[in-house]
Amino acid sequence: MCIFCDIIEGKIPSAKVYEDDQCLAILDISQVTRGHTLVMPKQHFANILECDEQTLAHLIEVVRDLAGKIVKNLDARGCNILVNTNEAAGQSVMHLHFHIIPRYGNDEGLNIEFDPHHEPYDLAEIVRDINKDR
Ligand code: AMP
Ligand code: ZN
């Protein structure tokens, strides 16, 4: 059992934003920005790589609709939609969830900066590596 399964089963209280037969959306307890929401499947999948096609298709539709609603109704100027996958990428709860983080253009608790490597990567080689078992 995991903490999100406990929330889904109502064993732990949460601020519910949306629910249907397949998924639940709740406010993230940390509220990186006002309205920071988590969308998760009711079935336990450790991460996005484990999730079946149908569930994922439904989830992403809910994420899109909720993100639109959050941005519009909370007067945000945009949002970040994040899925951390595995500990190395910052995943701390091993139950698939999408973060919807509305952005207001202020000094916020989230700062994503791309810091490109300047090594001379061989792009063709990377493409070959990615597709090597094709
Ligand atoms: P991640 O680091 O992508 O696994 O995100 C996990 C998120 O779950 C964090 O942003 C936490 O603040 C949030 N979280 C942990 N416990 C709870 C809880 N009981 N209710 C709501 N959000 C939670
Ligand atoms: Zn779970």
Side-chain angles (χ1 to χ4, degrees):
M1 266 297 161
C2 80
I3 187 167
F4 285 176
C5 282
D6 283 347
I7 287 174
I8 289 157
E9 287 177 18
K11 293 179 188 160
I12 296 177
S14 66
K16 195 185 296 179
V17 177
Y18 172 83
E19 183 176 21
D20 64 27
D21 58 331
Q22 290 180 64
C23 70
L24 175 70
I26 61 169
L27 291 184
D28 190 302
I29 208 160
S30 73
Q31 291 295 287
V32 166
T33 64
R34 184 171 185 269
H36 179 186
T37 297
L38 302 174
V39 185
M40 62 191 76
K42 286 189 169 173
Q43 193 179 338
H44 180 95
F45 298 99
N47 60 47
I48 194 169
L49 304 177
E50 306 284 323
C51 188
D52 71 79
E53 210 169 287
Q54 191 279 329
T55 305
L56 193 55
H58 177 67
L59 269 179
I60 197 67
E61 213 174 301
V62 170
V63 167
R64 181 201 57 193
D65 291 352
L66 264 182
K69 203 169 159 179
I70 288 167
V71 168
K72 179 169 170 276
N73 290 343
L74 297 186
D75 294 320
R77 293 168 64 186
C79 66
N80 293 97
I81 295 172
L82 300 176
V83 188
N84 297 329
T85 304
N86 290 342
E87 229 173 275
Q91 186 179 4
S92 60
V93 178
M94 299 301 159
H95 180 128
L96 167 61
H97 53 280
F98 287 74
H99 293 257
I100 301 172
I101 304 175
R103 303 303 297 264
Y104 301 92
N106 305 324
D107 195 15
E108 293 167 334
L110 176 69
N111 188 15
I112 300 174
E113 272 181 35
F114 291 102
D115 181 15
H117 282 270
H118 296 288
E119 295 166 42
Y121 280 134
D122 180 341
L123 300 190
E125 185 190 21
I126 299 171
V127 171
R128 270 199 310 278
D129 282 348
I130 290 172
N131 293 300
K132 65 186 166 197
D133 48 4
R134 191 169 57 184

